[in-house]
Structure formats: C-alpha cells, structure tokens
Amino acid sequence: MESIVERVTIISGSLSFFLLLGEITTKGNLPWRLYLIIIYSSHSFFMFLGWAIFSQNPNYAANLIIFSGPVMLLHAWVLPRSFRCITNLCIPEELKRDFFSVTKDLSVPIFFFVITIIVFYLNFENRLQSFESIMSNSNMRILDYYSPAILVFALLYQIYGLIITMIRAASRYHEKQIKVIMILSGILILRTMFGLTERIFFRNSHLDLHFLTAGIMIPIFFLIYKQYLSFLQKNDFDAFKSYKQSRLSEVNLSDLENNLQKAMEVDRLFTKDSLTIAELANHTKVTIHQLSEYLNVNKKTSFRQFINEWRIDFACELLRSYPEKTVIQIAFECGFNAKSTFHTAFQKHKKVHPTEYRQKILSVHKKT
C-alpha cells in the first residue's frame, strides 16, 4: 500500500506543479489566477509531504510537516473564493480584487506563515522528534501541537467557506454553471470532512488512504475545474445574465461606451483571435462582470456576439476592398482562428455565405 501511495503522491504532486507553472506563465490578470496558483501550490506541497512520509524520508517530512497548517489555511481561504469569483456569487468588494488586493487579503495566512517560520527555527534541533510525535500522537510537546491545531482550524474554515458558497448559489440553482459549482462544493465538503475526521478521531491511522484519495481525486477535480474555466472564458460569462445587484452603479456609462468604441474602432482589439472579455475589460477600465452586464443589459448582446459583429463588419469591408485576398486570409485578418468559425458567424450575421457576399458585391460593381 505504501509503495502505491508513494507513486500516486509524486505523480499527483508533479501534475499540480506543472499546472502551477502553466498558470504562472499564462497571460492575463484574471482575479482567479492567483487563486489557482495558490491551490496548485498547496496541493503540490501536500503531495510532496505525502511522498516524503511514505518513501521513508523523515528529514524532508519533518521540514515540511510544520508548514502543513498554514498551507492548508491558505488553501481554505482561496478555494471557496475562487468558486464565488467565477460564478458571479461575489459581493461587490470581492469583484474588485486584483492581484495586489488578493495578496493583501491573505494577511492572516501570511501572519501564520511568519509564526510558523519562528516555530520552525525554535524547534529546528528537535524537528525529527516532533515529526515522530505528530505522526504517532504521543509524547507531544507544546510546540508540536501548533501545526496540527492550525490544520484542524483550516479544514473547518474550508468547510465553512464552501457552505457559504452553496448558500449563495442556492437561489440560482436553476442555472447550469451554478449546479456544477454546488456539486463540486458538496464533493469537496465531504472530502474535507474525511480529512478532518481522519485527523481528529483516527489520529493518522488512515493517513495512507487519505493521501491516496487526495492524490487521485484532486487532480481530477483540477482538470474538471480548468475545463470549466475554459468553458466560461470561451463563452465569456454570457450565462451570467441575471443581475440581482447591478455592478454598474460606480461606472460612468458614457466613458465606458467611449472606451469601448475606441477599443474597437481605433485599437481594433477584435482582430486579436485570442481576445477575452477579461482583456477587453482591462482595456476599458472596468471589471469583467461590469462589462458583461453592460453588454447584456445596455446593449442587449453578449461579448461573443459583440466581438463577432465587429469582425464581420470588418470582413465585409475587406471583401469589398480587397478582391485579391482569399476568404480564409480575410477571416484570419479579422480575428477568426478557423474558416468554419468564420463561415458560421458570417452566415449568422449576414444570412449569406462570405463567398456569395463577395460575388454579389463584385457583380454590383461591374454593373455600375
């Protein structure tokens, strides 16, 4: 069993580490990116701790285990907020968070990290003895209780945060993306309760099962979560069209409209094939949710429809002015990344195939 757990933890930890590197190198200042970075880092930490324990590396394990409480506290603070952030369940103050404000709000976990470093150095000479005491729950000194106590508090805090997320989501349960978040939250509550029960009542007697299930379940959760985020970004939060509380009260709508027109007419952001609503929101100096609400409510359109309208209008201009260019060249120039996507969008907006549109324009020009 221990050899299996050892392999699972090193594979799971490595996967989380590569996901972490991918998130760090990803462009864009999305609020949940720091959340994901912290979540991936936390899981990598615990998987490498599990590997150190089950591969019989007490020195590594003794150095890591003292930090398990603060790392879990950091994870517990971040996970529920990441759910609320991507599903528009945040309060207005939460939506204004950027990397700096998120880091500032992590003051409590950071404080415990500082205390942990002090405890680590105070107990450095006895760290192996402390590790053995924590694992066996015997002969524990006062400093040995520090990390397990923080760990138990962090697990309770994570359960609390996930319950708050489910309570906020309950009124919008009919929405598909809310159902997904509620299911994920419920699974994670059960998973956290298992970890809490194992820590309090079983005193590490089922630690192998704990790390094995975490090593298998959490990466699956990560992959589902990443796919869900990609789905939301591709659909640009168009599902979020019910606004119980407007996010536009602090926005000058005239300035927003001017910035939006400038971004399209002058900067031509729509020609960027990878353009996301987050990038356009940053460019127009509003939050993602504010821009989404403005497009949905004030312009009666979605982000994707809005961008495609500009792309198709530009494509029509190019089809008229540059008969020597192929349709696929024009498609790429307008910001589409596939011919099929361009054809579908063009037919939706102009009710005609782009080649037919060009032929009609050229025939009119010949007659005149």
Side-chain angles (χ1 to χ4, degrees):
M1 182 67 169
E2 289 188 358
S3 62
I4 296 175
V5 177
E6 180 185 344
R7 293 190 186 97
V8 168
T9 52
I10 195 65
I11 293 171
S12 183
S14 300
L15 174 61
S16 298
F17 182 72
F18 284 120
L19 288 171
L20 167 66
L21 293 179
E23 202 62 44
I24 291 174
T25 56
T26 300
K27 295 180 180 179
N29 190 27
L30 301 176
W32 59 77
R33 283 196 55 238
L34 182 58
Y35 293 150
L36 280 178
I37 288 171
I38 293 173
I39 290 170
Y40 293 150
S41 301
S42 301
H43 183 68
S44 296
F45 169 87
F46 280 108
M47 288 299 98
F48 289 128
L49 172 60
W51 168 81
I53 292 173
F54 291 101
S55 63
Q56 306 300 320
N57 280 292
N59 283 319
Y60 288 144
N63 290 332
L64 292 173
I65 199 167
I66 186 67
F67 292 97
S68 60
V71 171
M72 189 63 216
L73 183 60
L74 193 64
H75 183 275
W77 189 93
V78 163
L79 182 63
R81 284 167 173 79
S82 69
F83 281 178
R84 297 199 288 268
C85 181
I86 65 173
T87 50
N88 202 11
L89 293 169
C90 297
I91 59 176
E93 290 72 20
E94 288 176 320
L95 289 175
K96 295 176 183 177
R97 285 194 174 108
D98 54 16
F99 272 25
F100 174 76
S101 61
V102 169
T103 305
K104 184 179 178 181
D105 286 340
L106 292 173
S107 56
V108 173
I110 291 172
F111 168 78
F112 279 106
F113 264 108
V114 173
I115 297 299
T116 302
I117 292 172
I118 295 172
V119 172
F120 177 75
Y121 278 105
L122 289 175
N123 198 44
F124 185 78
E125 295 296 330
N126 300 312
R127 66 189 187 284
L128 289 174
Q129 180 184 341
S130 294
F131 169 68
E132 295 296 335
S133 298
I134 291 172
M135 294 301 297
S136 63
N137 284 284
S138 61
N139 302 318
M140 293 179 67
R141 296 169 299 117
I142 293 177
L143 289 178
D144 297 339
Y145 285 100
Y146 171 78
S147 188
I150 300 297
L151 181 63
V152 169
F153 171 77
L155 291 170
L156 289 170
Y157 186 68
Q158 179 163 293
I159 293 172
Y160 164 78
L162 291 169
I163 290 174
I164 293 297
T165 301
M166 294 186 73
I167 291 173
R168 291 191 191 180
S171 61
R172 289 170 49 195
Y173 185 70
H174 61 282
E175 300 176 31
K176 186 176 181 180
Q177 75 279 6
I178 296 298
K179 290 181 180 179
V180 173
I181 288 299
M182 289 193 73
I183 292 170
L184 288 176
S185 297
I187 292 172
L188 287 171
I189 286 174
L190 293 176
R191 178 70 188 79
T192 308
M193 289 180 68
F194 171 73
L196 185 64
T197 303
E198 197 279 330
R199 175 65 241 175
I200 295 177
F201 297 105
F202 294 105
R203 303 296 182 92
N204 298 327
S205 59
H206 297 290
L207 197 62
D208 52 355
L209 182 61
H210 175 75
F211 275 103
L212 182 63
T213 55
I216 295 173
M217 288 179 59
I218 303 300
I220 294 173
F221 161 75
F222 283 161
L223 295 175
I224 294 173
Y225 194 32
K226 283 289 288 183
Q227 288 299 314
Y228 180 58
L229 281 174
S230 298
F231 168 78
L232 291 181
Q233 288 182 269
K234 287 178 181 177
N235 289 272
D236 304 295
F237 294 87
D238 293 343
F240 304 141
K241 293 187 178 180
S242 58
Y243 302 96
K244 286 188 174 183
Q245 184 177 5
S246 176
R247 314 292 186 187
L248 299 176
S249 57
E250 299 177 3
V251 177
N252 186 314
L253 298 185
S254 177
D255 288 345
L256 174 55
E257 178 62 27
N258 290 336
N259 290 338
L260 203 54
Q261 290 301 314
K262 179 180 179 295
M264 297 295 106
E265 293 177 358
V266 179
D267 303 323
R268 288 186 172 177
L269 293 187
F270 61 85
T271 59
K272 183 179 179 181
D273 63 349
S274 59
L275 180 67
T276 65
I277 192 171
E279 292 175 274
L280 185 57
N282 284 336
H283 199 84
T284 53
K285 301 176 182 178
V286 293
T287 68
I288 295 172
H289 294 82
Q290 286 169 338
L291 178 58
S292 179
E293 181 180 348
Y294 180 74
L295 293 174
N296 295 164
V297 177
N298 294 62
K299 300 183 88 62
K300 307 300 180 185
T301 188
S302 67
F303 169 75
R304 185 56 54 201
Q305 290 170 343
F306 177 75
I307 296 300
N308 280 348
E309 285 173 7
W310 279 93
R311 287 173 174 169
I312 297 303
D313 287 343
F314 187 47
C316 290
E317 180 184 331
L318 296 180
L319 287 168
R320 289 193 301 268
S321 305
Y322 300 94
E324 72 278 6
K325 289 187 176 182
T326 65
V327 170
I328 189 63
Q329 284 177 320
I330 290 174
F332 289 148
E333 203 169 322
C334 293
F336 292 98
N337 54 16
K339 186 177 180 180
S340 58
T341 307
F342 173 61
H343 285 174
T344 301
F346 198 98
Q347 288 181 304
K348 179 179 179 180
H349 286 83
K350 296 299 179 182
K351 310 302 180 186
V352 65
H353 193 278
T355 303
E356 295 175 16
Y357 177 85
R358 169 177 267 175
Q359 290 172 347
K360 287 182 180 179
I361 292 297
L362 291 177
S363 63
V364 170
H365 284 180
K366 286 180 181 179
K367 290 179 181 179
T368 56

